[in-house]
Amino acid sequence: MRWVLNIASNYLRFLVGMVVVFFLTPYIVARLGVDLFGLWSLIFAVVGIFGLLDLGFATAAVKYVAELTASQDHAGRNQVLATLLGVYSALGLLCLALVATLAGPVALGFELSPDQRQTFTWVLWLLGSVVALNFPLSLFKAILVGTGRMSLVNLVELGTTLANAALIVLLLEAGLGLLGLAIATASTLLLATLLLIPFAYHLTPELSFSPRLFSLRRVRELTQISVYFFIANVAVLIILRIDPVVIKAFLPLSAVAVYAVAAKVSEYTYLLNKQFSNALMPLVSQSQGAGDAATIRRILLDGTRYLLAIAVPFIALLFFHAEAFILAWMGPDFAAAGPLLRLLLIAVFFTSLQLNAANVLGMTGHHRLVAFAMGGSALVNLALSILLIQFLGLTGVALATVAAALLVETLVIVPLACVRLGLKSWTFLKDAILPAVPALIPALGVAWLFDRQWPADHFSAILPQGAAAALIYFNVFVWTGVRAEERRQLMARLRNRRHPRPTTSSRKPV
């Protein structure tokens, strides 16, 4: 039940975040202007690069905490955490040193006005400092996630997301501009990690970060794993964050802003799908620690099937309404983002196919394979982006993302996971992918009929039409994508909830 709650809370937190971004983005653009919004997107891309100093230790921390929790090795867990605290403290200091050294030169590297360079430097300092502080503080999140309490983390992050939105509006209304946006973002990012500290101590038995537990042997052991998670994290960052930097090298800030809008929607669509696999990641590690191979196979096959049941209708309906969505959301100045969004959504679909496969490989000792595959995807994406932008502009950058997602992530990671678990690729296609397809036909048919009758040129039409089509999809999926025994179990649980059995009591009536 805890894992179901973790998945549900993942989606709740993320959906609330999507709604916040949905309303905040046009508001921020209206307050800052297109060029400053492009500058903010550029800064965020650079800050993401500083985040790479994590070196993959965050994922390694979750893996170790989950496995050692399953085996109830509290002493080993504390030794790992104390070692990571020392490592993260050093990385935080290194991050601050890099911010101090590079903030000015990086600002000069872009063709910015003097005022824009000054703003760039100050905001980079602010956000970079928070990234540095969050390195050691992130261990408390890893503890809660690794012990299966992701729902608590989600609740805290949900509250700080809403606080961030309120603070952004307050500071922008006060006239602080881009600096106010940075202050709001930095303060709530720091608050989200600080709030987890008391929960981690209260809910984790015998938790200790004593410096005496620091172990060089553990550093070597963690590094042998984290380096591959680091490669995978670098790859994901390049895929999600490097495009604005590439675009700025060839095109003006206005082009960065247009692409950033399409990329933001596709990124949130990808992250929405990733909530499912994220919630199952600690379960893979715990199953690995307990030697439960059957559960790991179920996570790959059934987990991917249900993940796609959520991902496919959302991606398809957003693809169908892409241009209308962009126009209704951001206005005609961003109309060029509509075709870009369609291409990026295709890439999101291919990436979603391998999310559980990548987790299964990464958490069962095959992290090298995931690292090299994701690294290859990032390099293909980056190389093709630099090549194609010179001929096709922004469309070339989006096409590069599609090609990398299909050729490397889907056609490499998924077959590798199947081989490692002794499954045929056909089994994955038949049991995990194809069940999500039939329900899509009536859903898109309903969307097309609605659009013909009532053209979706405003959210008052897009949202109810999309909701109706999605409802059709889920109802059909229950009968085409859910196995008969799964339906019987679901119906039985629903009946038990509606008509709970009376509990017997050993107490005699008075």
Side-chain angles (χ1 to χ4, degrees), residues 208-278:
S208 172
F209 288 93
S210 173
R212 293 176 298 175
L213 297 175
F214 182 90
S215 167
L216 289 176
R217 179 183 63 84
R218 285 290 192 184
V219 172
R220 290 191 294 270
E221 181 182 343
L222 287 162
T223 302
Q224 289 173 356
I225 294 177
S226 69
V227 65
Y228 296 101
F229 289 134
F230 169 68
I231 294 172
N233 290 342
V234 171
V236 172
L237 184 72
I238 290 174
I239 294 168
L240 294 179
R241 292 281 187 268
I242 206 68
D243 284 346
V245 178
V246 174
I247 294 168
K248 182 62 184 71
F250 294 91
L251 299 171
L253 278 174
S254 57
V256 177
V258 169
Y259 192 90
V261 167
K264 178 65 71 175
V265 178
S266 66
E267 179 184 340
Y268 267 79
T269 305
Y270 160 75
L271 293 175
L272 176 68
N273 301 333
K274 205 171 186 304
Q275 303 314 302
F276 197 101
S277 60
N278 281 351

Side-chain angles (χ1 to χ4, degrees), residues 474-493:
F474 292 127
N475 276 279
V476 175
F477 177 80
V478 168
W479 298 101
T480 62
V482 178
R483 290 191 288 267
E485 61 271 21
E486 293 173 339
R487 283 199 302 273
R488 286 194 293 269
Q489 291 175 5
L490 177 62
M491 296 302 178
R493 289 180 181 180

Side-chain angles (χ1 to χ4, degrees), residues 368-436:
R368 295 177 180 86
L369 297 176
V370 178
F372 291 136
M374 293 302 297
S377 177
L379 290 176
V380 169
N381 192 346
L382 180 59
L384 287 178
S385 294
I386 294 173
L387 174 65
L388 295 179
I389 193 175
Q390 300 177 66
F391 302 98
L392 300 174
L394 295 179
T395 301
V397 179
L399 284 172
T401 304
V402 175
L406 171 62
L407 297 176
V408 183
E409 295 180 43
T410 302
L411 297 182
V412 173
I413 292 178
V414 170
L416 284 174
C418 291
V419 168
R420 296 300 176 183
L421 293 181
L423 298 171
K424 295 181 179 179
S425 295
W426 165 248
T427 302
F428 183 86
L429 177 65
K430 176 175 63 72
D431 293 348
I433 299 177
L434 292 182

Side-chain angles (χ1 to χ4, degrees), residues 261-425:
V261 167
K264 178 65 71 175
V265 178
S266 66
E267 179 184 340
Y268 267 79
T269 305
Y270 160 75
L271 293 175
L272 176 68
N273 301 333
K274 205 171 186 304
Q275 303 314 302
F276 197 101
S277 60
N278 281 351
L280 294 177
M281 183 171 63
L283 180 58
V284 177
S285 291
Q286 290 185 11
S287 300
Q288 175 73 3
D292 187 356
T295 296
I296 297 175
R297 283 193 292 271
R298 285 182 58 197
I299 291 171
L300 178 61
L301 294 177
D302 294 342
T304 301
R305 176 162 53 98
Y306 283 108
L307 184 154
L308 291 180
I310 298 170
V312 165
F314 192 87
I315 292 172
L317 292 171
L318 191 53
F319 183 95
F320 184 84
H321 292 295
E323 293 180 352
F325 180 90
I326 292 294
L327 288 173
W329 182 35
M330 299 298 298
D333 290 342
F334 290 87
L340 298 173
L341 175 57
R342 281 203 169 96
L343 290 173
L344 293 174
L345 286 171
I346 296 173
V348 169
F349 170 74
F350 289 132
T351 300
S352 299
L353 294 177
Q354 58 83 35
L355 287 174
N356 277 323
N359 278 346
V360 165
L361 287 172
M363 295 294 114
T364 57
H366 304 296
H367 37 274
R368 295 177 180 86
L369 297 176
V370 178
F372 291 136
M374 293 302 297
S377 177
L379 290 176
V380 169
N381 192 346
L382 180 59
L384 287 178
S385 294
I386 294 173
L387 174 65
L388 295 179
I389 193 175
Q390 300 177 66
F391 302 98
L392 300 174
L394 295 179
T395 301
V397 179
L399 284 172
T401 304
V402 175
L406 171 62
L407 297 176
V408 183
E409 295 180 43
T410 302
L411 297 182
V412 173
I413 292 178
V414 170
L416 284 174
C418 291
V419 168
R420 296 300 176 183
L421 293 181
L423 298 171
K424 295 181 179 179
S425 295

